[in-house]
Amino acid sequence: MPRQQQPAARPAARPVRRRSYDQFDATARALDSVGDRWTLLIVRELLGGPRRYTDLHADLPGVSTDVLASRLKDMEQSGLALRRKLPPPSAASVYELTERGLGLLPVLAALAEWGAPALAERRPTDAVRAHWFALPLLGALTGLTREGVLEVRLDEGEFHLRVDGRAGAVPPGGEAYGAVYGYGPAERPDARLVLGAEVCLELARGGVTLAEAVKDGRVEVLGESPLAAELRGE
């Protein structure tokens, strides 16, 4: 009886090598890590602190689950983000930026400033989230001398920042390497800003200063703290 031929063994799968520009240049190396579509937007979301996968997917409309999972894995391999399990009783895992990932804040802030003029008109297909206005607003808060937690209220929702009294807004802190802003309302804000998205973008573009917008009534300041008084120009 002839022996049955055994199927040939499959060669071991080779690890997939990420695409690279293969250029000995700092900009090219940086783009090897963050140049893929969605990566910097994921960084933008994680600048607000640790996020669950489902939360990231909800706040990145248009990204597929496969692409989001792939980008997060790439970010872990590049040392930009890490994944950790929350302590009991929660069984969820969250993603958060490493110190290297948090170092992308100036890059995102510069991109937000550069891109602000392109937001003159909102397209019908544009999604929006309140916390997306946090980075454009950072520059308008520079120079404040009082410190505290600042809550920002837009028609689209709320977010909050901490003002350090030296250089404007800084990370609220408390988790990992810190966060640049916080999602939703603050527990005990020292001051609140109430304004429209259009005014927020005008502040980002430098078309008006915060003091001018407060004076002409386009920004309302609530609160009785020293920070609120400074925001009102008192």
Side-chain angles (χ1 to χ4, degrees), residues 43-85:
V43 173
R44 178 198 65 193
E45 295 303 307
L46 294 180
L47 284 171
R51 304 292 305 277
R52 296 180 301 175
Y53 177 89
T54 52
D55 295 330
L56 285 171
H57 189 256
D59 279 337
L60 289 167
V63 68
S64 70
T65 55
D66 289 345
V67 169
L68 179 57
S70 176
R71 294 295 181 270
L72 287 168
K73 184 176 181 180
D74 289 343
M75 290 173 66
E76 288 185 84
Q77 293 175 345
S78 299
L80 300 177
L82 57 86
R83 182 186 181 190
R84 66 176 172 88
K85 288 187 176 181

Side-chain angles (χ1 to χ4, degrees), residues 45-194:
E45 295 303 307
L46 294 180
L47 284 171
R51 304 292 305 277
R52 296 180 301 175
Y53 177 89
T54 52
D55 295 330
L56 285 171
H57 189 256
D59 279 337
L60 289 167
V63 68
S64 70
T65 55
D66 289 345
V67 169
L68 179 57
S70 176
R71 294 295 181 270
L72 287 168
K73 184 176 181 180
D74 289 343
M75 290 173 66
E76 288 185 84
Q77 293 175 345
S78 299
L80 300 177
L82 57 86
R83 182 186 181 190
R84 66 176 172 88
K85 288 187 176 181
L86 294 176
S90 175
S93 294
V94 293
Y95 292 89
E96 58 193 352
L97 293 176
T98 62
E99 187 173 14
R100 181 165 175 78
L102 192 59
L104 288 165
L105 170 59
V107 178
L108 269 294
L111 280 173
E113 182 179 0
W114 184 80
L119 297 179
E121 183 177 349
R122 181 177 170 185
R123 297 173 298 202
T125 56
D126 282 343
V128 65
R129 303 288 189 274
H131 64 267
W132 292 352
F133 293 92
L135 290 180
L137 189 61
L138 287 177
L141 299 174
T142 301
L144 293 172
T145 62
R146 301 291 186 173
E147 62 180 32
V149 176
L150 176 63
E151 183 178 288
V152 181
R153 294 181 179 178
L154 305 171
D155 290 338
E156 292 75 10
E158 300 158 314
F159 61 90
H160 58 278
L161 306 155
R162 175 172 288 279
V163 178
D164 74 345
R166 296 185 301 275
V170 299
E175 295 175 282
Y177 294 99
V180 175
Y181 58 86
Y183 297 96
E187 289 186 10
R188 291 183 296 274
D190 297 286
R192 293 184 176 92
L193 291 183
V194 182

